[in-house]
């Protein structure tokens, strides 16, 4: 039987958090992400992972305090469910999701929800997997859908109105980001240096509070690229990928 671990204030400093595992250049981002989790545990934030050296985890918390532009009441929101590499196809994703569902029921929640896309996108779960467990579409913005599994009759979560336009006024290349993801800290520094060296303007906006997260101008807080006011993608960019994109 596989052994799983929930991160706590007592064990988080010793445990890895799966993302960016073993990559020294992202260690600062990992440390910042751990501090973010520590501050969120009081809100009911859950980070559960397989007790193994790999990218196998689920992360969720109550929708009221989740750093996403989604509003609702008495639902859990799944930030990320990730099973990679040799751990795929072994039932780990099923175990993690079933734990989150059962945990939510025990807490008296009305349901649990997550973000997916109609087409495969980076850092987003697969729709068919969640549908297998009974999740259904409750709101849509373009290619992106909010899936929810209801435990009892209740008002379902929905995207905040601010997120629906997926546009901003600033016409310069603009990146919204937050420390929910351990990869972003290094890439923000790399892109900032690249922009300075090449006299290119990149506008960075950090989402560092619940209020900013709930009122973000698009559905992504980890990383969102805008150009000429339009949302481009949620792909985390480094100097090379940014250079290819602008060309």
């Amino acid at each position: 039987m596989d052994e799983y671990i929930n991160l706590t204030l007592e064990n988080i400093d010793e445990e890895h958090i799966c993302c960016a595992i073993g990559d020294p250049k992202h260690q600062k981002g990992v440390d910042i992400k751990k501090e973010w989790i520590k501050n969120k545990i009081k809100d009911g934030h859950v980070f559960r992972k397989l007790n193994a050296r790999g990218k196998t985890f689920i992360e969720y918390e109550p929708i009221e305090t989740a750093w996403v532009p989604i509003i609702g009441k008495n639902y859990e929101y799944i930030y990320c469910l990730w099973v990679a590499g040799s751990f795929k196809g072994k039932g780990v994703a099923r175990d993690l999701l079933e734990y989150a569902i059962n945990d939510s029921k025990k807490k008296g929640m009305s349901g649990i929800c997550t973000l997916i896309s109609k087409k495969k996108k980076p850092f987003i779960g697969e729709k068919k997997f969640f549908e297998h467990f009974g999740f259904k579409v409750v709101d849509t913005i373009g290619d992106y859908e909010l899936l929810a599994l209801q435990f009892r009759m209740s008002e379902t979560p929905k995207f905040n109105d601010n997120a629906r336009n997926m546009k901003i006024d600033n016409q310069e290349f603009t990146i919204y980001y937050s420390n929910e993801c351990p990869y972003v800290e290094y890439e923000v520094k790399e892109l900032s240096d690249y922009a300075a060296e090449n006299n290119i303007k990149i506008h960075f906006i950090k989402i560092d509070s619940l209020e900013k997260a709930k009122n973000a101008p698009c559905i992504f807080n980890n990383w969102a690229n805008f150009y000429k006011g339009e949302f481009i993608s949620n792909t985390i960019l480094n100097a090379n990928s940014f250079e290819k994109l602008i060309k």
Side-chain angles (χ1 to χ4, degrees), residues 68-72 77 114-116 137-147 156-164 166 214 218-220:
V68 288
I70 299 170
I71 54 177
Y77 177 79
T114 194
L115 174 69
I116 61 94
V137 177
V138 294
D139 203 357
T140 303
I141 298 179
D143 287 337
Y144 304 99
E145 296 175 327
L146 182 62
L147 292 187
T156 55
K158 61 181 180 180
F159 294 114
N160 195 323
D161 288 341
N162 289 343
R164 294 189 181 279
M166 304 286 277
K214 288 297 186 188
C218 77
I219 55 180
F220 297 104

Side-chain angles (χ1 to χ4, degrees), residues 87-99:
F87 298 97
K88 285 186 174 181
K90 297 182 178 180
V92 176
R94 180 202 63 224
D95 289 348
L96 291 170
L97 182 56
E98 286 181 345
Y99 176 89

Side-chain angles (χ1 to χ4, degrees), residues 198-216:
N198 293 275
N199 196 28
I200 296 173
K201 288 186 178 180
I202 303 178
H203 190 49
F204 294 95
I205 299 179
K206 186 172 185 177
I207 295 175
D208 53 10
S209 70
L210 177 62
E211 181 180 5
K212 289 180 181 179
K214 288 297 186 188
N215 292 285

Side-chain angles (χ1 to χ4, degrees), residues 88-134:
K88 285 186 174 181
K90 297 182 178 180
V92 176
R94 180 202 63 224
D95 289 348
L96 291 170
L97 182 56
E98 286 181 345
Y99 176 89
I101 292 171
N102 292 330
D103 184 40
S104 301
K105 289 179 178 178
K106 289 177 183 177
K107 292 173 179 175
M109 308 301 280
S110 299
I112 187 168
C113 61
T114 194
L115 174 69
I116 61 94
S117 61
K118 297 175 184 176
K119 300 177 182 179
K120 181 62 178 172
K121 304 279 186 179
F123 310 111
I124 301 179
E126 295 186 7
K127 183 177 181 178
K128 288 184 178 180
F129 176 76
F130 287 98
E131 286 181 327
H132 177 76
F133 289 84

